[in-house]
Amino acid sequence: MAADTRQHLLKEGMAMLLRHGYHDLGIAALLEATKTPKGSFYHHFQSKEDFGLQAIDAYMAEVHAGLDHCLGDESMPPLKRVRHFFELTEEKYRTEGYLGCLLGGLGQELSGVSEVFRRKVEECFSAIERRVAACLREAIHRGELAPGTDPDGMAQLLINCWEGAALRTRLRQNPAPLREMLDFYFRSAAP
Amino acid sequence: MAADTRQHLLKEGMAMLLRHGYHDLGIAALLEATKTPKGSFYHHFQSKEDFGLQAIDAYMAEVHAGLDHCLGDESMPPLKRVRHFFELTEEKYRTEGYLGCLLGGLGQELSGVSEVFRRKVEECFSAIERRVAACLREAIHRGELAPGTDPDGMAQLLINCWEGAALRTRLRQNPAPLREMLDFYFRSAAP
DNA sequence: AGAATTAGACCGACCGGTCTATTCTGCTTT
DNA sequence: AAAGCAGAATAGACCGGTCGGTCTAATTCT
């Protein structure tokens, strides 16, 4: 039951952080939503900040699972795997009501005010990037991308533009910005 | 002296909102920073929300001034004008300590929780976009871009990717993401 | 039994916002 | 030009509510 409560808090916490952001999410509201007493919360997490950081970890576990699933799919050419990952992510955003990406949300809200969160979020983006870059490297090797292409730069570019499009998707409540961004990127990268 | 206090609050408010975001910015902190008594604040603004919305207006006045300056510069070809605007914006970010864009920050933090802010920020992006699109249209007319190019789509793409790169610049405290994004965009758009 | 977990009353600090009093400021009237 | 006055602006004490966090006691596991 112990780990259960923790997981339950993290799961609901991710969803509430996505909608409300960090500072607008009150502990009391989270406890109300999960029917958890305060004692439990502070038994499992040492502070709100600790909770936020662990929620990011939980989010990243999902992201890495998606990457495992897509980038490891050898039945597709590497470039297609990358695109597939983002298309699945778009689908995930849709089911959540177009609230965008937790990393982008918390990164924007907290990076000016908390060095801890700033570094954490940056490290998460960088981890995703490394995996995408590896797949891009394979694409170059297979001739899907021009030999001179910089896989690290192109991976970072993709992640960054994706985040911008995700914000816009959130503002417009519409997936078009994500789709148009992917179209442009893959059309330009692999003509 | 009246409009003076208001402007002073808005100017300092923009800077503090950029760093702290909305919910982490307390009225008391703003009043302390500007040596303003509370009575003045609530004389000039009806609420914190009203203040936030007016701070966005003040920010947009600066953006439009930058657009006037760059996009109206007939000594440059249209495509160069657009790029010049973003390069100046990057320079502005640098002087502020790489805190990124206020629209991106408030958009991410508030769009899940306030329909008013969501619409406001979206309308601001859309306004910038219209002006960029007009300049792109001129670029097409002058043969700088392929005749079939969609100026509105390309303008939105540029704004969106810019915002993503701005977030990353904030996270890394480094302008490289912005530069690499512009390079990719203009290289791909006008080969 | 003893450790892990749940339970929730309680705390001081701070939040956005209100209220009344005072001080400026510019216009009207003479 | 001086006096008087009304509205704008400043000043800050004050308010109820909510914040993150603590503490002790009860309960549930192994």
Side-chain angles (χ1 to χ4, degrees), chain A residues 76-82 129-156 185-186 189-191:
Chain A
M76 282 185 187
L79 218 48
K80 206 133 201 204
R81 294 180 216 161
V82 172
E129 217 165 275
R130 282 192 295 273
R131 299 195 59 178
V132 171
C135 204
L136 256 31
R137 211 167 278 120
E138 198 181 332
I140 296 167
H141 195 252
R142 292 214 204 165
E144 288 192 276
L145 291 173
T149 310
D150 168 20
D152 301 306
M154 286 303 285
Q156 180 169 147
Y185 178 85
F186 285 103

Side-chain angles (χ1 to χ4, degrees), chain B residues 83-140:
Chain B
R83 179 156 192 162
H84 186 225
F85 168 71
F86 286 100
E87 283 167 349
L88 282 193
T89 303
E90 178 206 311
E91 173 63 15
K92 185 192 173 220
Y93 291 174
R94 190 184 63 75
T95 66
E96 294 165 342
Y98 296 125
L99 293 168
C101 169
L102 186 63
L103 298 175
L106 295 183
Q108 277 283 22
E109 181 181 357
L110 299 175
S111 63
V113 97
S114 161
E115 200 69 2
V116 175
F117 274 98
R118 205 202 92 228
R119 283 185 213 272
K120 176 80 178 183
V121 173
E122 167 56 26
E123 176 49 41
C124 289
F125 278 132
S126 162
I128 298 171
E129 219 165 273
R130 282 192 295 273
R131 299 197 58 177
V132 171
C135 204
L136 255 31
R137 212 166 276 119
E138 198 181 331
I140 296 168

